[in-house]
Amino acid sequence: MTLQFTLSRRLRHSTGVRAATALLLAASAVVLTGCAAAVPMQPAADAENPACADIIVRLPTTVADQPERETNAQATGAWGDPSAVLLTCGVEVPGPTTLPCVSINGVDWIEDDSEAPMYRYTTYGREPATEVYLDSELVSGSTTLVDLAAAVANVPASKQCLSADDVTLPSETPAP
């Protein structure tokens, strides 16, 4: 009888320890997963603009085949692990510039390659402006902008990019 009681007691203790260990591991996984998923970002100055919410709620779950990630700042989005694409709504509205402007699916973007292979694309002619910062070694800029165009187009355009062919340039000879 003593042997049976001892074995029974050990089995219950062993099962309880295993259950407690499994519970602890599951809780740790949830905590660690939650911490690992958030991408640290800073909100832009105009992040509280209601038009940013119109964009953020329509962001796709994948961009350039990269999965969406959670961010810790208002009016932001991120995709990829490591982060390959970062989006921030409410950035400063750009004025005229000599930087290249590309139009993708009806959205004009100013392209800044000064930090290549990291590229910064900022909407032109939309307020609030949206910025996309991407690693061109991980994703294609054009694919990224195609994937984001439908969400960004929820902010109506008030201007569009122009090229030298679109404007009348002064002649070299002054008029009398």
Side-chain angles (χ1 to χ4, degrees), residues 11-168:
L11 286 175
R12 274 188 263 147
H13 176 68
S14 176
T15 303
V17 169
R18 277 190 238 151
T21 302
L23 182 61
L24 180 62
L25 288 174
S28 296
V30 169
V31 169
L32 291 175
T33 302
C35 292
V39 176
M41 296 182 70
Q42 294 295 318
D46 198 18
E48 294 180 7
N49 189 313
C52 283
D54 291 339
I55 292 173
I56 299 304
V57 299
R58 291 174 175 86
L59 290 176
T61 57
T62 59
V63 169
D65 294 326
Q66 301 293 313
E68 185 176 28
R69 303 260 317 269
E70 182 181 339
T71 64
N72 67 350
Q74 183 173 349
T76 60
W79 295 265
D81 191 7
S83 297
V85 178
L86 302 175
L87 177 141
T88 306
C89 182
V91 298
E92 184 176 340
V93 176
T97 181
T98 57
L99 289 172
C101 186
V102 295
S103 183
I104 297 182
N105 290 359
V107 178
D108 288 347
W109 299 90
I110 297 171
E111 179 185 70
D112 181 354
D113 65 355
S114 63
E115 298 176 36
M118 303 301 290
Y119 282 73
R120 184 178 315 275
Y121 292 92
T122 308
T123 56
Y124 182 79
R126 296 173 192 268
E127 191 169 338
T130 299
E131 177 183 276
V132 174
Y133 192 67
L134 62 88
D135 184 341
S136 66
E137 292 180 341
L138 299 175
V139 295
S140 158
S142 59
T143 301
T144 298
L145 298 180
V146 165
D147 290 349
L148 294 171
V152 172
N154 282 284
V155 173
S158 59
K159 299 177 190 173
Q160 66 183 35
C161 290
L162 301 174
S163 71
D165 296 337
D166 297 324
V167 295
T168 304

